[in-house]
Amino acid sequence: MTDVIVQLRRIPIFADLSQFDLDKIASLVTIQHCKKDSLIFLEEDMGRVLFMIGKGKVKVSQVNDDGKEVILSILLQGNFFGEMALLDGSARSATVTSLTDSELLILRRGDFLNLLEEYPKVTINLLKELTKRIRQSDSQIKSLSLKNATGKVAHVILRLAEDTGIIKGNSIEVSGLPMQQDIANMAGTSRETVSRVLSKLSESKLIIKKGGKITILDINRYRNFFA
Ligand code: CMP
């Protein structure tokens, strides 16, 4: 139970709740463990529960008309998913797969909707989080419409840095980088192009790439370069 409460505290929608309220929510939660690369649910499935990521990392994706995977987002510990089908009663809007071994906290639809009615703070925090996702999607649409591959890949790296990076002065370190094929599926380009663009960004001294880690050396210079 203590572990569940620690994990609930990391979920932004519950940020303002008291220990008493968190205890109550913890008693409603069940835990699901899933192995790396396992399917959590498919686009078009019916949605009956909300998922919160206690540990691990998941990928939210759709398949386009050409049968290619398009990655909408990568969500980490402290994020939630599956709220859309619960809120509007439609089917799941995307497929979710675990990228690492993960521990998920699960809340049933009825309990989630009751919490939104009972705690206005949770509802406001949920709206803030959904607003953030719309902003990210707007930025992704803009970058997908760019003509050049460098700009598309550079935007994905910037988004990963903003979502998961550690700020050190002017630079941002992003570790646990997705596979190059996943970066390609976020940018709407090929794995070979991602590899070529990362080398180009390194040569231009905009980033340093070492294994699964990228450091954006000067975030303002990087942003201006692609503005
Ligand atoms: P739901 O439609 O129930 O199932 C798929 C989930 O993926 C959805 O709820 C959201 O939680 C999540 N999702 C869908 N689109 C995005 C997006 N653009 N960014 C982040 N998460 C998303």
Side-chain angles (χ1 to χ4, degrees):
M1 191 71 133
T2 329
D3 198 27
V4 173
I5 291 173
V6 171
Q7 294 182 8
L8 283 176
R9 277 197 193 289
R10 296 198 194 108
I11 315 287
I13 53 175
F14 299 135
D16 303 316
L17 296 188
S18 66
Q19 181 67 36
F20 177 82
D21 295 329
L22 286 175
D23 282 345
K24 196 168 122 187
I25 297 170
S27 70
L28 303 172
V29 158
T30 52
I31 309 262
Q32 177 182 323
H33 290 99
C34 51
K35 290 267 169 228
K36 181 176 188 292
D37 295 329
S38 50
L39 176 72
I40 299 168
F41 57 72
L42 272 173
E43 183 177 353
E44 295 301 337
D45 279 355
M46 285 308 294
R48 297 190 180 84
V49 295
L50 175 80
F51 294 85
M52 296 166 279
I53 308 176
K55 291 175 193 155
K57 186 156 58 163
V58 306
K59 168 173 86 172
V60 179
S61 64
Q62 290 178 333
V63 175
N64 71 12
D65 288 348
D66 301 333
K68 274 189 70 181
E69 181 187 56
V70 179
I71 299 184
L72 303 177
S73 189
I74 290 181
L75 302 174
L76 306 178
Q77 172 176 297
N79 282 136
F80 60 86
F81 58 92
E83 76 296 342
M84 288 170 60
L86 303 191
L87 290 169
D88 69 4
S90 300
R92 294 296 191 195
S93 61
T95 294
V96 182
T97 321
S98 57
L99 288 173
T100 60
D101 287 353
S102 302
E103 186 171 310
L104 305 174
L105 312 186
I106 295 179
L107 200 55
R108 286 192 306 262
R109 177 171 194 257
D111 291 330
F112 173 58
L113 297 180
N114 285 341
L115 286 179
L116 297 184
E117 284 191 15
E118 199 175 336
Y119 299 104
K121 280 180 190 168
V122 173
T123 309
I124 291 171
N125 287 339
L126 174 69
L127 289 172
K128 279 189 191 161
E129 192 57 32
L130 296 183
T131 305
K132 187 171 144 199
R133 289 185 188 178
I134 293 175
R135 284 186 189 278
Q136 285 170 339
S137 297
D138 287 353
S139 154
Q140 188 173 6
I141 291 167
K142 195 166 147 191
S143 73
L144 286 173
S145 69
L146 289 173
K147 292 271 185 296
N148 69 79
T150 307
K152 288 182 183 177
V153 176
H155 265 92
V156 169
I157 300 299
L158 182 61
R159 177 168 171 198
L160 289 168
E162 285 170 347
D163 286 355
T164 67
I166 298 170
I167 300 173
K168 293 189 172 167
N170 283 341
S171 68
I172 304 189
E173 246 179 51
V174 197
S175 35
L177 213 60
M179 315 258 283
Q180 289 198 352
Q181 185 59 59
D182 284 337
I183 297 178
N185 293 354
M186 291 175 89
T189 182
S190 68
R191 197 199 59 74
E192 292 72 18
T193 303
V194 170
S195 173
R196 188 172 46 77
V197 171
L198 291 180
S199 303
K200 205 166 128 185
L201 296 178
S202 298
E203 279 161 23
S204 310
K205 304 269 184 290
L206 287 164
I207 63 165
I208 294 179
K209 186 174 175 320
K210 246 190 207 160
K213 189 166 104 179
I214 280 185
T215 306
I216 297 182
L217 289 169
D218 179 335
I219 189 66
N220 293 327
R221 181 169 165 249
Y222 186 95
R223 280 209 179 92
N224 289 337
F225 207 81
F226 298 104

